[in-house]
Amino acid sequence: MSGVFADVQALVEELGRTVVSEYASDVDEKARFPSEAFEAFKANKLLSAYVPEKFGGHGLSISELCKLCEILGAYCASTAMIYAMHQIQVACLVHHGQTSSWFQQYLRDLVEKQFLLASATTELGVGGDLRSSVCAIEKNGDSFVLNKQAPVISYALDADAILVTCRAHADAPASDQVHVLVKKEDCSFAEIAGWDTLGFRGTCSSGYELKSKGHCDQIIPAPFVDILAQTMHPVSHLTWGSLWTGLASDSVHRARQAVRHAHKRNPNAPPVSSLRLSEVDEQLFSMRSGLYREIEEYKTLLAEGNPDAFSNFGFSIRTNNVKLRCSEMLVDIVGRALMIVGIMGYKNDSPLSLGRHIRDAYGAAIMVNNDRIRGHNATMQIAMRERS
Ligand SMILES: Cc1cc2nc3c(=O)[nH]c(=O)nc-3n(C[C@H](O)[C@H](O)[C@H](O)COP(=O)(O)OP(=O)(O)OC[C@H]3O[C@@H](n4cnc5c(N)ncnc54)[C@H](O)[C@@H]3O)c2cc1C
């Protein structure tokens, strides 16, 4: 662990315990943006944690970034999800924008001004299929116009810029896509769907008819198919898996507190629930082990710098497996923790409440629907020749 990271990790732990935790219930109840947490992150330059040091960022590795998401997930999954979603977009710029002087300067500005980045990939007509777009960028000389019917854009109104997928030109097929950064000041938002959900309420993921314009330099200079395979797909599943692991670990922590209270009440016999606690901790161990293994694999591939390695079926399937396993184990773990804590976990106003945890947990499998992901895995399983 680098000295820089030790300091950043300690700082994020401290912010998690204080400002993130303090406002988590209010953010959830009011389905509002966690502004207090993000003010603190910006003040401590945490939005540029993954930006290389040469542009002024912390230059953290993917494993270090995932650790921060895991820490935050234990305190407020909405805050952690927004942090993760922002870092996914930052990673797209860091990995694919550096050949452009415009994006080099944008990264410097992001460090200085702590811009928050959102994402609009989902679209009316294609749903969660990231590899298809209906909308197309319309270029006119050096400038462009881009309009998208986006049924879900998290924290759109609190972001400084949105990265939008679209077809590369009016005649391009649905899969010939580019990834474009549009600045908030160049956008208009007409709400087409609200965000009164079970969980992840603080992500404020309403839907909008997004109208935007900008300079053609704002198109990331790489085809979206490469950005997705090399960055967006792995970084999404690894950062999400990390924050879900944090959420699961806090559920187990609450279960442990309940078992310890029961043991104190009757110190002569271990409570029955201690066996259940051991079982749920095994589940958490498995969830974390698969996740950490894939984070290391991705880190190694990034260090090797061979872009073809990311389209290997084995790597894609394992990345999808992180999303599938973590999202489904999360529901299982929080449910088991609830059985251990009992009524004090079922109550919304108890210090051991698991109400928010269980509602957030159910969002994980539908955020890019698991059936869609399993469908991709099924196709690759048939085509794959090597042992998994
Ligand atoms: C908390 C949260 C935040 C989000 N934030 C954003 C954001 O900031 N930006 C953004 O763009 N999106 C965002 N999304 C949307 C998300 O990324 C997915 O695109 C969206 O959840 C998919 O919605 P869907 O279920 O309508 O669509 P689909 O994925 O299209 O699924 C619809 C149904 O069709 C089935 N299905 C579809 N295709 C297949 C297939 N190939 N194989 C098998 N079954 C299939 C699925 O089982 C499912 O039942 C967010 C979602 C959540 C939950």
Side-chain angles (χ1 to χ4, degrees):
M1 185 165 68
S2 69
V4 175
F5 182 59
D7 292 345
V8 175
Q9 183 175 356
L11 173 67
V12 170
E13 271 288 359
E14 171 67 17
L15 293 177
R17 254 195 321 272
T18 53
V19 68
V20 176
S21 171
E22 185 182 339
Y23 293 100
S25 295
D26 194 62
V27 162
D28 176 57
E29 197 181 309
K30 297 186 177 139
R32 68 164 178 89
F33 182 75
S35 46
E36 298 84 357
F38 277 83
E39 272 162 31
F41 296 164
K42 289 180 180 191
N44 289 284
K45 301 267 184 204
L46 289 170
L47 296 196
S48 47
Y50 193 70
V51 175
E53 285 170 309
K54 66 180 173 184
F55 297 116
H58 285 113
L60 297 192
S61 68
I62 185 68
S63 54
E64 291 168 336
L65 190 64
C66 285
K67 190 68 205 170
L68 300 188
C69 294
E70 184 180 337
I71 292 168
L72 292 173
Y75 294 105
C76 173
S78 284
T79 302
M81 181 55 84
I82 297 170
Y83 189 71
M85 290 195 280
H86 161 78
Q87 298 297 354
I88 296 159
Q89 304 313 312
V90 172
C92 291
L93 302 189
V94 169
H95 293 178
H96 306 280
Q98 288 196 44
T99 54
S100 137
S101 55
W102 193 90
F103 279 105
Q104 289 174 9
Q105 187 55 44
Y106 193 84
L107 287 170
R108 284 188 202 98
D109 293 344
L110 188 150
V111 174
E112 192 196 323
K113 298 180 181 142
Q114 293 294 292
F115 291 148
L116 179 64
L117 308 184
S119 166
T121 56
T122 309
E123 185 172 15
L124 286 185
V126 293
D129 178 8
L130 287 158
R131 284 292 290 115
S132 295
S133 289
V134 175
C135 66
I137 190 164
E138 294 167 44
K139 292 182 191 167
N140 186 0
D142 285 344
S143 57
F144 70 79
V145 171
L146 174 54
N147 300 330
K148 183 163 187 160
Q149 296 278 337
V152 195
I153 310 180
S154 297
Y155 56 93
L157 304 183
D158 291 280
D160 296 291
I162 302 177
L163 279 108
V164 185
T165 49
C166 58
R167 287 183 296 125
H169 52 87
D171 300 322
S175 61
D176 180 5
Q177 295 162 292
V178 287
H179 202 195
V180 183
L181 184 148
V182 296
K183 297 178 182 175
K184 167 96 167 282
E185 58 269 30
D186 296 330
C187 293
S188 72
F189 300 88
E191 191 172 295
I192 55 173
W195 188 252
D196 181 5
T197 50
L198 270 182
F200 288 117
R201 292 170 58 79
T203 62
C204 304
S205 308
S206 295
Y208 301 93
E209 179 180 1
L210 172 68
K211 291 189 172 170
S212 67
K213 57 184 169 51
H215 192 282
C216 290
D217 284 351
Q218 292 166 230
I219 305 168
I220 301 183
F224 180 66
V225 62
D226 294 342
I227 298 173
L228 181 65
Q230 295 167 30
T231 303
M232 188 185 276
H233 178 237
V235 177
S236 299
H237 290 350
L238 297 175
T239 53
W240 294 351
S242 298
L243 78 94
W244 297 334
T245 300
L247 179 61
S249 83
D250 190 57
S251 308
V252 174
H253 177 64
R254 287 175 190 226
R256 185 171 296 111
Q257 284 175 274
V259 173
R260 284 167 60 81
H261 287 155
H263 185 54
K264 269 191 204 142
R265 281 196 301 274
N266 185 3
N268 298 323
V272 175
S273 55
S274 60
L275 203 62
R276 299 279 168 256
L277 176 62
S278 297
E279 281 175 348
V280 73
D281 192 54
E282 290 167 38
Q283 294 295 94
L284 177 61
F285 172 83
S286 298
M287 181 178 182
R288 200 176 249 139
S289 304
L291 168 70
Y292 283 11
R293 181 203 139 139
E294 262 333 278
I295 292 172
E296 282 311 306
E297 180 176 8
Y298 182 54
K299 193 174 164 185
T300 304
L301 293 185
L302 284 177
E304 287 170 359
N306 170 12
D308 295 337
F310 300 98
S311 19
N312 172 280
F313 282 165
F315 173 69
S316 297
I317 290 171
R318 287 189 290 278
T319 303
N320 284 339
N321 285 348
V322 167
K323 200 281 178 176
L324 296 167
R325 287 290 72 228
C326 285
S327 59
E328 289 171 13
M329 291 184 85
L330 173 62
V331 171
D332 180 44
I333 289 172
V334 183
R336 285 169 185 250
L338 182 62
M339 283 304 289
I340 294 167
V341 179
I343 194 71
M344 295 306 280
Y346 197 64
K347 286 186 173 186
N348 282 324
D349 59 354
S350 128
L352 296 185
S353 174
L354 287 162
R356 176 165 50 83
H357 297 60
I358 211 150
R359 288 185 287 100
D360 287 343
Y362 272 101
I366 56 164
M367 189 168 181
V368 185
N369 197 290
N370 278 6
D371 275 353
R372 181 184 285 285
I373 296 174
R374 268 206 182 93
H376 292 317
N377 268 7
T379 309
M380 289 189 284
Q381 288 287 0
I382 295 167
M384 195 169 80
R385 290 170 191 275
E386 68 264 34
R387 274 194 193 87
S388 50

